[in-house]
Amino acid sequence: MINITVPKPEVTITKQDNPEMSNIYGFTDFHLIPRDKGGIFMFYNKDKELLFVGKARKLRPRIKKHFEDTVSPVKNHRDEITRIEVCVIEDPTHREIYETFIINESKSKYNIDKVFFR
């Protein structure tokens, strides 16, 4: 059996109710997410349920794209997202392994690729 230990999130941002600053869907601390580093990201709802897991070579632009893109798997559920957790993982192979593991172990709600539990 293989033991996989998921790294602790290095950045966690939460949605603000009435943000005064410029924001993306209520997330005012978007600047805390690394721009030029690779890793995995997880979207959660208010009940701490995992909604979506993704990976990226450049985290901030990829996460931002999920809130702007018309083909994102979470496009109809953006208002549900209340917390974003980010783990910086530079190695692309490790990102792939962690993403697939978290999707299946935590049974993320809106991931449709890489799912073995349905």
Side-chain angles (χ1 to χ4, degrees):
M1 173 165 28
I2 298 172
N3 278 331
I4 297 175
T5 303
V6 179
K8 299 279 184 225
E10 295 173 42
V11 176
T12 300
I13 60 173
T14 55
K15 187 175 193 172
Q16 305 299 313
D17 289 331
N18 295 308
E20 294 177 16
M21 300 171 16
S22 172
N23 68 84
I24 297 170
Y25 277 80
F27 292 97
T28 56
D29 292 333
F30 223 75
H31 65 280
L32 298 176
I33 298 171
R35 177 175 302 194
D36 294 326
K37 293 195 177 188
I40 56 171
F41 54 91
M42 295 156 281
F43 296 155
Y44 292 88
N45 66 12
K46 63 180 171 47
D47 299 323
K48 299 180 182 176
E49 177 184 23
L50 182 60
L51 301 176
F52 185 79
V53 180
K55 66 181 182 315
R57 286 180 298 145
K58 295 184 178 185
L59 284 162
R60 193 186 316 169
R62 183 69 187 107
I63 294 170
K64 190 175 181 182
K65 196 168 182 126
H66 275 289
F67 289 94
E68 299 168 343
D69 205 351
T70 58
V71 295
S72 170
V74 296
K75 71 178 178 187
N76 296 325
H77 311 285
R78 292 175 180 141
D79 290 333
E80 261 185 89
I81 301 168
T82 59
R83 189 174 88 228
I84 301 171
E85 290 184 351
V86 175
C87 301
V88 174
I89 301 163
E90 289 293 342
D91 186 289
T93 305
H94 293 171
R95 285 195 297 260
E96 186 73 38
I97 291 167
Y98 285 130
E99 179 194 33
T100 304
F101 179 77
I102 294 168
I103 288 169
N104 288 284
E105 194 67 20
S106 300
K107 297 183 174 33
S108 100
K109 193 171 181 179
Y110 299 124
N111 283 93
I112 52 175
D113 296 337
K114 303 179 184 174
V115 173
F116 302 121
F117 64 87
R118 288 198 172 102

